[in-house]
Amino acid sequence: MDFRPTDEQRELQEAARKFARAELPELARDMEEKDYPVPRAMVRKYGEMGFLGVNLPTEYGGLGLGHLEALLVLEEFAQISNAVAFPVFEALVGPVRTIERFGSPEMKARILPEVIAGEKVVAVSMSEPDAGTALTDLRTRAVEDGDHFVVNGYKRWTSGGGHSDYYVTYCRYNDEPGAKGIGAILLDRDASGMQFGKREQLMGFRGIETADYAIEDVRVPKANVIVGAGGFGKLMSAFGLERCGNATQSLGVAAAALEQATQYVQERHAFGKPIVEFQAVQIKLAEMAMKVEAARLLIHRAAANAAHQPDGLPTVYESSVAKCYANEIVREVTSMGVQVMGGYGYHKDYGMEQRLRDGFAWGIAGGTTDVQKTNIAAAMIGQRFDQRR
């Protein structure tokens, strides 16, 4: 095993770091203050730089590289903020990958070049008022009508709701119980019958629009079907990569907290010397570093090993371990960062308290940490546990 990045990976990572640190800190601060998503002009700039197509096929304008390369880029953006990283997340590890993996050739040819160029943004809509962790309870329904489907339902907690152009929408195609009737269909934001609710006010995630939307008799062509009835398992298989992306968003926040804390303790003086010279501070830094390094290794293991899987995706076990661990340590690392920086850590002008708020969200989004632990146990035992009994 060689843990050193290749020359190509290093060059890509350095390009992402240079761009993110030169172009995005001021924007990230303004997005945090005023709560707006990455401007479309900047998303197009992401596209021009190739950051929205790292692991997408070259035939659509992507770079055709691996998942590890995509995660290296995502971490550099996430170290600035989760909000400026969100378009990269959605393109490289999120709903765009569902279209790339399961969409028709015509759908991929239509959507992927737009996303890779930064012209369009795609969101995923899964949760409903009575279907979150118990996702197979969803009620959004797509009913066949000639050459079209008519979709009705209500979606909750959609990141990018009202802002994104397209929505990978989980729905039920028939009355088959549980997962058997579930698939996904692509909805257009501007379609008649799409009704978006107010912007949700969350503890963190400022700059990542979150909104509900109602779907009332939205008529879409059959060509918009991504996965038909009975394809719920296929949709879930793609979540191994999304978990790694979720974990990398956590990692980016934790790594940035470690970097800021390390710099601060060398500049801050108490009792006539830099506070880094106090053993208690050294121990805090070491603990933060250990957690960040371990999270990065778990994520990179899952991504690297995906190349050896028949479907080319991270396994449930390795991606769940990586996500759960990164989700937990980001809370610990940012909390220690606030403590090390004292009043400055608690002050909004210095960014550490934002990292604490943003970092907490990833252990809720994309499957809670407890859900990941049930995934881990199930993979260890080789048995899926029925939570309904």
Side-chain angles (χ1 to χ4, degrees), residues 260 264 268 275 335-354:
Q260 184 180 13
Y264 176 85
R268 176 68 169 170
I275 64 172
S335 179
M336 285 190 280
V338 170
Q339 189 67 39
V340 163
M341 290 180 63
Y344 293 98
Y346 201 64
H347 198 294
K348 282 189 176 291
D349 285 351
Y350 296 90
M352 189 64 81
E353 62 82 33
Q354 178 192 339

Side-chain angles (χ1 to χ4, degrees), residues 41-52 115-119:
M42 182 56 79
V43 177
R44 286 192 288 273
K45 200 166 185 178
Y46 288 9
E48 291 169 5
M49 296 292 292
F51 296 134
L52 300 178
V115 171
I116 292 168
E119 296 294 337

Side-chain angles (χ1 to χ4, degrees), residues 251-325:
L251 170 63
V253 173
L258 172 61
E259 182 177 320
Q260 184 180 13
T262 301
Q263 180 178 346
Y264 176 85
V265 299
Q266 295 176 80
E267 297 170 350
R268 176 68 169 170
H269 284 67
F271 303 100
K273 59 183 179 180
I275 64 172
V276 72
E277 294 189 21
F278 294 102
Q279 190 178 59
V281 173
Q282 297 163 16
I283 291 170
K284 281 279 196 303
L285 285 182
E287 290 175 346
M288 293 169 74
M290 289 160 56
K291 294 175 189 296
V292 167
E293 293 291 350
R296 185 177 288 118
L297 286 170
L298 287 171
I299 294 166
H300 289 185
R301 179 188 70 168
N305 284 345
H308 305 292
Q309 297 300 314
D311 60 3
L313 294 170
T315 65
V316 171
Y317 178 78
E318 291 187 347
S319 63
S320 294
V321 168
K323 174 179 167 12
C324 189
Y325 186 75

